Amino acid sequence: MSLFGYPATVIHQQAIIDDWNRVTGYTSKTKAAKVVEEQKVVKNAKGEDVQSIAEIHLEGPQQINSNDHFDYENAFGETVSYYIKHIEVKKQLGTDEVKKVIVYG
């Protein structure tokens, strides 16, 4: 477990949504990220406090939906699935250019 995070490879399981807004499957994309395994309380999109057990830092703009999840292999060789609690977009100061996206799972 790392409190500072370290470079990692995550598998972004992107949800496939049908006409009735139901998840019908997932497509997987491998992405470079920084994973910080740390428990903290964050606010979700509804303003509710939720507990996050990890932060996934992705560089640049990302196409992420709240129905997606991320698979990550930790230092013990175990695959952990992080379901999205909150998505935070960081932009370059004074611009609309996306610097990175932080996913709380």
Side-chain angles (χ1 to χ4, degrees):
M1 179 158 92
S2 171
L3 293 177
F4 304 109
Y6 45 88
T9 301
V10 295
I11 299 172
H12 179 194
Q13 300 290 348
Q14 202 163 23
I16 300 169
I17 307 294
D18 68 6
D19 295 336
W20 293 307
N21 256 353
R22 296 179 300 187
V23 176
T24 59
Y26 294 93
T27 58
S28 60
K29 294 181 181 178
T30 303
K31 296 184 176 185
K34 180 177 98 169
V35 178
V36 180
E37 296 172 300
E38 176 185 32
Q39 291 187 13
K40 64 168 56 173
V41 176
V42 297
K43 292 205 181 286
N44 64 10
K46 298 176 185 175
E48 303 165 334
D49 288 337
V50 293
Q51 186 172 9
S52 167
I53 58 171
E55 295 176 14
I56 301 169
H57 296 250
L58 301 162
E59 294 296 322
Q62 303 289 325
Q63 186 85 22
I64 300 174
N65 186 319
S66 61
N67 293 318
D68 300 350
H69 68 273
F70 289 86
D71 293 331
Y72 163 70
E73 188 174 320
N74 66 15
F76 300 113
E78 303 167 335
T79 300
V80 181
S81 292
Y82 293 120
Y83 293 88
I84 298 173
K85 307 280 188 194
H86 180 65
I87 301 168
E88 184 176 328
V89 177
K90 299 281 189 177
K91 295 187 178 184
Q92 295 286 356
L93 188 63
T95 69
D96 280 338
E97 183 180 333
V98 175
K99 180 177 175 182
K100 72 175 168 178
V101 176
I102 303 173
V103 177
Y104 296 91

